[in-house]
Amino acid sequence: MGRLVVLAYSGGLDTSAIVPWLRERYGARVVCFAADVGQGAGELDGLVEKAERSGAAGCVIEDLREEFVRDFVFPTLRAGAVYARTYLLGTAMARPVMAAHQVALAERVGAQALAHGCTGKGNDQVRFELAYAALAPDLQVIAPWREWQFKGREDLIAYVKAKRIPVQATVEKPYSTDRNVWHCSHEGGILEDPAQEAPEHIFVMTSNPLEAPDRPVTVEIGFEEGTPVSVDHVPLRPVELLETLNETAGRHGVGRADVVEDRLVGMKSRGVYETPGGTLLHAAHRELEQLVLDRRTLRLKDELALRYADLVYDGRWWTPEREALDAAVASTQKRVTGAVRLKLYKGGLAVAGRESPFALYQSSYATFGKDNVYNQKDAEGFIRLYGLSIKIGAGLATERAGAVGAAAD
Amino acid sequence: MGRLVVLAYSGGLDTSAIVPWLRERYGARVVCFAADVGQGAGELDGLVEKAERSGAAGCVIEDLREEFVRDFVFPTLRAGAVYARTYLLGTAMARPVMAAHQVALAERVGAQALAHGCTGKGNDQVRFELAYAALAPDLQVIAPWREWQFKGREDLIAYVKAKRIPVQATVEKPYSTDRNVWHCSHEGGILEDPAQEAPEHIFVMTSNPLEAPDRPVTVEIGFEEGTPVSVDHVPLRPVELLETLNETAGRHGVGRADVVEDRLVGMKSRGVYETPGGTLLHAAHRELEQLVLDRRTLRLKDELALRYADLVYDGRWWTPEREALDAAVASTQKRVTGAVRLKLYKGGLAVAGRESPFALYQSSYATFGKDNVYNQKDAEGFIRLYGLSIKIGAGLATERAGAVGAAAD
Amino acid sequence: MGRLVVLAYSGGLDTSAIVPWLRERYGARVVCFAADVGQGAGELDGLVEKAERSGAAGCVIEDLREEFVRDFVFPTLRAGAVYARTYLLGTAMARPVMAAHQVALAERVGAQALAHGCTGKGNDQVRFELAYAALAPDLQVIAPWREWQFKGREDLIAYVKAKRIPVQATVEKPYSTDRNVWHCSHEGGILEDPAQEAPEHIFVMTSNPLEAPDRPVTVEIGFEEGTPVSVDHVPLRPVELLETLNETAGRHGVGRADVVEDRLVGMKSRGVYETPGGTLLHAAHRELEQLVLDRRTLRLKDELALRYADLVYDGRWWTPEREALDAAVASTQKRVTGAVRLKLYKGGLAVAGRESPFALYQSSYATFGKDNVYNQKDAEGFIRLYGLSIKIGAGLATERAGAVGAAAD
Amino acid sequence: MGRLVVLAYSGGLDTSAIVPWLRERYGARVVCFAADVGQGAGELDGLVEKAERSGAAGCVIEDLREEFVRDFVFPTLRAGAVYARTYLLGTAMARPVMAAHQVALAERVGAQALAHGCTGKGNDQVRFELAYAALAPDLQVIAPWREWQFKGREDLIAYVKAKRIPVQATVEKPYSTDRNVWHCSHEGGILEDPAQEAPEHIFVMTSNPLEAPDRPVTVEIGFEEGTPVSVDHVPLRPVELLETLNETAGRHGVGRADVVEDRLVGMKSRGVYETPGGTLLHAAHRELEQLVLDRRTLRLKDELALRYADLVYDGRWWTPEREALDAAVASTQKRVTGAVRLKLYKGGLAVAGRESPFALYQSSYATFGKDNVYNQKDAEGFIRLYGLSIKIGAGLATERAGAVGAAAD
């Protein structure tokens, strides 16, 4: 018997072609692995049968939604990580959880290799393969798109037809899409010109703001130690919570982002993202932190967030660096407990209130006017010492200017 | 002849009381200095007469609007500086320009001291006094609010009445406001509870999103080397440009922020800000940078932006640190030339297109599919080396786990 | 019954005067608290009697050496924190442990206030008082040096003589010193001119390099998870280990630093430090990390080290920020296990070898020449993608330069 | 006529083989380019003849020493850049200047390609090729070591012998070396075990500390705006200055470093470096900065230094990021003028004094005791505000602990 390969499988055209190609090219038996990370209704239907028709020796589907949100999405949220200033990392976060379970399956079935269907120009190949490097350094990696001679969709269709593999005669979308419970991304094709607005018809999770309800809605999100736990006072588990927020935010047209970003592999690309619930969660979490964390801890977090975003985007999830960052972030979240209200209206989002038992905000200190807790005279000493080095430096310049002036006489 | 003091003067109740108080307390002649930074119609009317009636020896008003926008607002914009994640620094940027001109006046008239009307609990006292320390280290600083015995508005009213200084019997606003051509801030009083939404009636520069026009508008902002220079293809000077954007964004309800922030003097406060044009400028500038700057330069800028925001907020404008940051930022802006279109609707803001002759985005590289400029096989070597240390680290763990397992047998 | 004050007490002239002064000024009973952090032989002898003769109601001495080294010195070492590029933070690390035990004593005895003998110009007042703020926010703080009228040593001597408190007629050292098991600092007086070399006679922990042994010695330090645990293969507890290294390094003249540093209170000062064992520990720890941590984790640590050093120097030990940093550092130290050999000679220090079961260094990868584990062709793809944005940017410039050139024709 | 290639040529075995190989493989004419960056006596002797005998169409040698030191070494020094905590970047800094002149030559002679002799496992290939990408994005790059089939030294010797190219029958050194006016590096071969001390015989620029002079020497280095300009009061041009310091420091055994570092291409390597003069320059520059720069500017520089070091090490010299960093650094150096004295002895280095007309250090502020310029009471207000958020946070915890305690009753 030949070698065994576990393939990250979606059932789309690409991976449908990869199954027979792996058999031909490597004489391998192929076990397909598909993860449910919330791609949406129907995406996983009939997948086992489809894999088998492609010639796979088997197909395993795992529901990773809860793990995805709890262990990948929420840590990234707590870290405040946003890539390219506005991208909420929906695709990037899904890869390490999928790859980890693919690896675990490979170990269970005794496979010698791992394969994926990512192209050679994108980030996903890196994300999958760095996860493989970290979790299965001894397994071979096969990336058909970097190896075979097929150039595009037409070649693949011809190939699978020749192999008598049934693929649905779906009309190709003129751009590519990736969806999970956190977000939906759109890129390529008709979206390639960053000077052009994205057409309204591509959006699937968010309403057109112009057609959103005429009355705003206010949503209250509750957090415990940085993790969202309730919506409008109803405790919810991670996936439920996210779906609830997706529905509300999506209905009001909130959560779209149009981003020109730098791929890890060196070129810029343009993506259009829908992250309705995630947009609310990031805004609410940030707001709660402003209330309960001191200034220095906030600044530390803002610096770490830049680093965390790069790390997630680049697929370096399974690394000591991420563990160190997570440890720091977890420490900061001990008091990030409370609630934030957001008002959604026609695609816009506004903070409508925040509260926490750990609020460092105390009106008794902040108020201008009489008070007992704060002695305004303290500010005098504070400013004098805070500005001392500025004054010394300035005095020095003055003295020297004087000296120079004198010398010039 | 007594000493001469130059007072940063607004004509409000506080500085109206400070004029006679400085005369009494210090036997000083008082020259008032007022800066026009775009406080709005009427704020400066009759100011000279008002100062004289308070007992000032003179009052000088300078129009600093152009300098303010060009030399303080735009550098901060180019730096991408945002404090507390959402505050666009409107008040903080105005202080160093005002203080610098106050100092220059003091030098012209041969004053021995500088005074301001800031309270002892806020940031502005620090901003004024650090500017004084840098620009006039030898002049005395007088901060009446930290020195006199008056406790609040009532005391001041009684005092000025006793001095027969005419103050308008205006009804006090139940919160305090600071306005200039960049923004309007509101804080204190009825805004002190961060759990409560700001009431609609406080807003002066922005419409209620619910009452904003039912049709979106698209605005195109042109930049040259990071500086905004045109709106909808019409070249505009800094103040004009800002006023144009303020009008459009304000009409569509764009540019409000509700912020819990950390004052430099140690406590948290809550501010509600309107920065209509500035909100567009920051979004557009950020977007253009995404198109033309490489990833590492963007990351450098994002780190420097955090530092720049702290620096501006804390009043450390006139320092070598700011000069160094400005030098770095200026270097990065050489290619930040191009145009960005923003769509405004009911308080919301979306990017509708960006273009630049220096765009690093090139669809020939980004496209998935056939191409000549990019060899997908390159990615294989890239990933292998990029992930090499991960793999070595993982292999090590595996080996050792094996060793441990063996030992445990 | 009057109020009760717990005083951080050293038995020197200053605190000997503070005891009666607190009784007079505040009508307080005074309990003295002294910590043994390794000040050296004799420093604590007769301290209880001395305190009582000054009029104290009691004096408690606690041996904090082990806790100091284990919980304050070693975490700072693991963080790699060095202030002002060369100061190893010996005094700064001692304050939070002393203050914490002083606070605990105050709670046990039911005191209403805490006092210390630090002057109003130094960092130590801040370090003590920030610890008090964090650990006993409700207790009053008394800082006699900022309050009384005494101006210097002569005033104090006159005062204690008038109070018939016996103080030894020691000749005053013409500079001040602070010593503990980690270091000895010298500053002030004859050391104030940073243009002058420190005189040889001030050094107490380190030999003159010119008189150090003529043969080098090699020391091997063993680490477990970032913590030093052995010297020359002999397991040692923290204080023992440090004393062993102090003796060896001190004998060879290793560990001196002459530093111009910025005090938190705004001015620069000059300190001369002896940190013999600590200098070895920092060098060895850094070296071991280079062997076992990946590049990105090292870079993260280097950035956090700057922040950690500021934090320790400024007395912000008991804060959420330090907890977050410690959590990150601890996570990175899991593999910092191994041994480093250092060669000491005439004041100099050189690395003579390092090894670890977790070394990421593998000669099979590093060697130039034939190998199976590394495919040199991979570098081609790596460089091409790594440099892609540089190339795109350059091509753009070329194109445009061409265009400009053409236009100029 | 065929294509024309410009080869970075050293005259060693590798590039001697590359000349005929390029002719065979590409049918190319080869122009050799050699740069004098201070490799040392004899290294460039007879190079033109040697190149021609290898079959080159020509050989151009340029003396880049002054430019190298002035425009590459000194900026890196001013930036304070040190890689892997101790490596002073000697090889890394030389590559961009060499590549830039190689590119300029290629343009002059109308070449279509650039070639170098770096192996596929090291950093230098990246440094050369990123410079090519930035400066000549349209030229082809040929890296024979990644392309040909030769596996090592023996293969090359056989090849050049077959081509009748005369190569000296030198005994191969059992490690590789790279030398320029700034440093000499040694790596590979017998140095590959990081647990073993480097043997004494490898060192060429520095004496054995055990055999260094028995009397210390003091050297004074003068700086203007961050650039070293004199030694012991004698003004010197860059190369002279460096050679003078190399001689003195080398004689006293100062400037060795043994480093485990991370190569850009993913593996760790071990290098032994001699940087005698450079070690003095870094120490002196750092020391002068401590005297004249304020704390925040120092901290900014320390952060930028980490980034600058990575950038230089990784070969990203010709990038907008470096330009931005240089602009920031240049701004900070305006006052870095003055002199630093260093004492050298038996391999060790100590600061023996520093002075500057711009010193922010002023003993009148730093002294503990009576003074007029500093009011110790200011510290009270300073500490209270500086620690305010700590106190609020702690009070909160206390309150809540109280509440919890009460609830538990």
Side-chain angles (χ1 to χ4, degrees), chain A residues 183-251:
Chain A
H183 95 331
C184 187
S185 73
H186 313 275
E187 66 177 331
I190 58 170
L191 296 173
E192 270 172 17
D193 183 356
Q196 298 301 317
E197 206 174 352
E200 189 56 38
H201 66 77
I202 68 166
F203 296 98
V204 297
M205 294 176 81
T206 53
S207 303
N208 183 345
L210 277 72
E211 290 161 12
D214 287 328
R215 302 178 65 109
V217 68
T218 298
V219 180
E220 177 169 325
I221 305 174
F223 289 85
E224 276 180 19
E225 302 200 359
T227 300
V229 295
S230 68
V231 173
D232 292 335
H233 307 279
V234 180
L236 294 170
R237 296 179 51 78
V239 171
E240 283 179 310
L241 182 140
L242 193 46
E243 288 175 342
T244 302
L245 294 177
N246 279 341
E247 195 282 323
T248 307
R251 185 155 32 89

Side-chain angles (χ1 to χ4, degrees), chain A residues 226-307:
Chain A
T227 300
V229 295
S230 68
V231 173
D232 292 335
H233 307 279
V234 180
L236 294 170
R237 296 179 51 78
V239 171
E240 283 179 310
L241 182 140
L242 193 46
E243 288 175 342
T244 302
L245 294 177
N246 279 341
E247 195 282 323
T248 307
R251 185 155 32 89
H252 286 270
V254 172
R256 297 177 174 189
D258 183 330
V259 183
V260 173
E261 74 199 46
D262 289 272
R263 284 195 199 138
L264 175 56
V265 289
M267 80 281 283
K268 288 196 181 277
S269 69
R270 188 262 194 111
V272 177
Y273 300 99
E274 299 176 82
T275 322
T279 298
L280 305 197
L281 286 172
H282 267 277
H285 182 261
R286 188 178 61 215
E287 207 55 41
L288 185 56
E289 285 194 333
Q290 286 292 129
L291 190 66
V292 302
L293 298 185
D294 66 278
R295 182 178 180 176
R296 290 179 186 278
T297 303
L298 285 167
R299 173 67 187 274
L300 171 63
K301 282 212 70 215
D302 285 347
E303 291 182 20
L304 297 182
L306 293 172
R307 188 180 269 276

Side-chain angles (χ1 to χ4, degrees), chain B residues 7-181:
Chain B
L7 168 67
Y9 180 75
S10 71
L13 177 61
D14 299 39
T15 49
S16 293
I18 289 173
V19 176
W21 182 86
L22 285 171
R23 294 179 63 185
E24 284 192 341
R25 172 73 182 76
Y26 288 96
R29 282 183 306 135
V30 179
V31 172
C32 292
F33 170 75
D36 181 357
V37 287
Q39 292 91 325
E43 282 285 321
L44 298 166
D45 292 353
L47 210 61
V48 173
E49 188 185 37
K50 209 186 278 185
E52 284 166 1
R53 281 180 171 195
S54 295
C59 178
V60 174
I61 304 177
E62 294 182 22
D63 181 350
L64 305 180
R65 288 177 302 157
E66 203 76 13
E67 181 179 349
F68 171 50
V69 177
R70 185 188 63 225
D71 296 343
F72 295 77
V73 169
F74 283 174
T76 304
L77 169 70
R78 288 190 295 259
V82 179
Y83 184 71
R85 295 158 172 185
T86 42
Y87 170 39
L88 297 182
L89 293 162
T91 298
M93 293 186 293
R95 299 317 177 209
V97 67
M98 292 164 75
H101 283 268
Q102 181 188 4
V103 164
L105 175 60
E107 285 173 359
R108 285 203 304 277
V109 301
Q112 291 83 40
L114 299 160
H116 63 72
C118 311
T119 81
K121 303 190 72 172
N123 296 304
D124 280 343
Q125 56 176 342
V126 188
R127 295 166 185 156
F128 272 103
E129 296 182 32
L130 294 192
Y132 299 163
L135 303 175
D138 298 325
L139 295 192
Q140 188 190 351
V141 176
I142 303 173
W145 268 111
R146 298 199 308 253
E147 199 175 325
W148 65 24
Q149 301 306 317
F150 306 136
K151 290 294 181 194
R153 186 174 168 80
E154 295 71 25
D155 293 356
L156 289 191
I157 291 175
Y159 177 72
V160 297
K161 283 197 175 156
K163 298 286 158 192
R164 296 176 183 275
I165 295 167
V167 282
Q168 284 165 269
T170 54
V171 178
E172 188 192 13
K173 271 194 305 186
Y175 54 90
S176 70
T177 281
D178 176 69
R179 182 168 181 175
N180 58 46
V181 66

Side-chain angles (χ1 to χ4, degrees), chain A residues 132 318 332 348 381:
Chain A
Y132 299 162
W318 299 109
T332 64

Side-chain angles (χ1 to χ4, degrees), chain C residues 83-86 119-122 125-126 129-130 133-135 137-138 145-147 151 176 187 191-197 209-210 216 258-265 267-270 286-287 289-295 298-299 301-303 306-307 310 313-314 316 318-319 341 343 345-346 348 351-355 360-371 374 376-377 379-380 382-383 386-387 390-391 394-395 398, chain D residues 83-86 119-122 125-126 129-130 133-135 137-138 145-147 151 176 187 191-197 209-210 216 258-265 267-270 286-287 289-295 298-299 301-303 306-307 310 313-314 316 318-319 341 343 345-346 348 351-355 360-371 374 376-377 379-380 382-383 386-387 390-391 394-395 398:
Chain C
Y83 183 71
R85 297 159 170 182
T86 42
T119 81
K121 304 191 69 172
Q125 56 176 343
V126 188
E129 295 181 33
L130 294 193
L135 304 174
D138 298 326
W145 269 111
R146 297 199 308 252
E147 196 174 329
K151 290 293 179 192
S176 71
E187 66 176 331
L191 297 172
E192 270 172 17
D193 184 355
Q196 299 300 317
E197 204 174 353
L210 276 73
D258 183 330
V259 183
V260 172
E261 74 199 46
D262 289 271
R263 284 194 200 140
L264 174 56
V265 289
M267 79 282 282
K268 287 195 181 278
S269 69
R270 189 264 195 108
R286 188 179 61 214
E287 208 54 42
E289 286 193 333
Q290 287 292 131
L291 191 66
V292 302
L293 299 185
D294 66 277
R295 182 178 182 175
L298 284 167
R299 173 69 187 275
K301 280 212 70 213
D302 285 347
E303 291 181 21
L306 293 172
R307 187 180 270 274
D310 276 7
Y313 189 83
D314 294 346
R316 290 182 276 112
W318 299 109
T319 57
R341 280 179 295 286
K343 187 188 266 187
Y345 176 61
K346 297 272 187 192
V351 177
R354 62 297 247 179
E355 54 201 38
L360 291 181
Y361 176 90
Q362 299 201 354
S363 59
S364 56
Y365 282 95
T367 310
F368 298 111
K370 311 177 193 181
D371 66 274
Y374 183 96
Q376 298 201 27
K377 287 205 199 312
E380 188 169 322
F382 177 80
I383 296 170
Y386 189 77
I390 294 176
K391 193 162 185 164
T398 306
Chain D
Y83 184 71
R85 294 158 174 185
T86 43
T119 81
K121 303 191 71 172
Q125 57 177 343
V126 189
E129 296 181 32
L130 294 192
L135 303 175
D138 298 326
W145 270 111
R146 298 199 307 253
E147 199 174 326
K151 288 294 180 192
S176 70
E187 66 177 330
L191 296 173
E192 269 173 15
D193 184 354
Q196 298 301 316
E197 204 174 352
L210 278 72
D258 183 330
V259 183
V260 173
E261 74 199 46
D262 290 271
R263 285 195 199 138
L264 175 56
V265 289
M267 79 282 281
K268 287 194 182 277
S269 69
R270 188 263 196 110
R286 186 179 63 215
E287 207 56 40
E289 285 194 333
Q290 286 292 130
L291 190 66
V292 302
L293 299 185
D294 66 279
R295 183 178 181 176
L298 284 167
R299 174 68 187 275
K301 281 213 69 212
D302 285 348
E303 291 182 20
L306 293 172
R307 187 180 270 274
D310 276 8
Y313 189 83
D314 294 347
R316 291 182 276 111
W318 299 110
T319 57
R341 280 178 294 287
K343 188 189 264 187
Y345 176 61
K346 298 271 187 193
V351 178
R354 64 296 247 176
E355 54 201 37
L360 291 180
Y361 176 89
Q362 300 201 354
S363 60
S364 56
Y365 282 94
T367 311
F368 298 111
K370 310 177 194 183
D371 66 275
Y374 183 96
Q376 297 202 27
K377 285 202 199 315
E380 187 169 321
F382 178 81
I383 296 170
Y386 189 77
I390 295 176
K391 193 162 184 163
T398 307

Side-chain angles (χ1 to χ4, degrees), chain A residues 121 192 197 268 361 365, chain B residues 121 192 293 343 361 365:
Chain A
K121 304 190 71 173
E192 270 172 17
E197 206 174 352
K268 288 196 181 277
Y361 176 90
Y365 283 94
Chain B
K121 303 190 72 172
E192 268 171 18
L293 299 185
K343 187 190 266 186
Y361 176 90
Y365 283 94

Side-chain angles (χ1 to χ4, degrees), chain B residues 77-287:
Chain B
L77 169 70
R78 288 190 295 259
V82 179
Y83 184 71
R85 295 158 172 185
T86 42
Y87 170 39
L88 297 182
L89 293 162
T91 298
M93 293 186 293
R95 299 317 177 209
V97 67
M98 292 164 75
H101 283 268
Q102 181 188 4
V103 164
L105 175 60
E107 285 173 359
R108 285 203 304 277
V109 301
Q112 291 83 40
L114 299 160
H116 63 72
C118 311
T119 81
K121 303 190 72 172
N123 296 304
D124 280 343
Q125 56 176 342
V126 188
R127 295 166 185 156
F128 272 103
E129 296 182 32
L130 294 192
Y132 299 163
L135 303 175
D138 298 325
L139 295 192
Q140 188 190 351
V141 176
I142 303 173
W145 268 111
R146 298 199 308 253
E147 199 175 325
W148 65 24
Q149 301 306 317
F150 306 136
K151 290 294 181 194
R153 186 174 168 80
E154 295 71 25
D155 293 356
L156 289 191
I157 291 175
Y159 177 72
V160 297
K161 283 197 175 156
K163 298 286 158 192
R164 296 176 183 275
I165 295 167
V167 282
Q168 284 165 269
T170 54
V171 178
E172 188 192 13
K173 271 194 305 186
Y175 54 90
S176 70
T177 281
D178 176 69
R179 182 168 181 175
N180 58 46
V181 66
W182 176 254
H183 96 330
C184 187
S185 73
H186 313 275
E187 66 178 331
I190 59 170
L191 296 172
E192 268 171 18
D193 184 355
Q196 299 300 317
E197 204 174 354
E200 190 55 40
H201 66 77
I202 68 165
F203 296 98
V204 298
M205 294 176 81
T206 53
S207 303
N208 184 345
L210 277 72
E211 291 161 13
D214 286 329
R215 304 178 65 109
V217 68
T218 298
V219 179
E220 177 170 324
I221 305 174
F223 289 85
E224 276 180 19
E225 301 201 0
T227 300
V229 294
S230 68
V231 173
D232 290 336
H233 306 281
V234 180
L236 294 171
R237 297 178 50 79
V239 171
E240 283 179 310
L241 182 141
L242 193 45
E243 287 175 342
T244 301
L245 294 177
N246 279 342
E247 194 283 323
T248 307
R251 187 155 31 90
H252 285 272
V254 172
R256 297 177 173 187
D258 183 330
V259 183
V260 172
E261 76 200 45
D262 289 273
R263 285 194 200 140
L264 174 57
V265 289
M267 80 282 282
K268 287 194 181 280
S269 69
R270 189 264 194 109
V272 178
Y273 301 99
E274 300 175 82
T275 323
T279 298
L280 304 197
L281 286 172
H282 267 278
H285 181 261
R286 189 178 62 215
E287 208 54 41

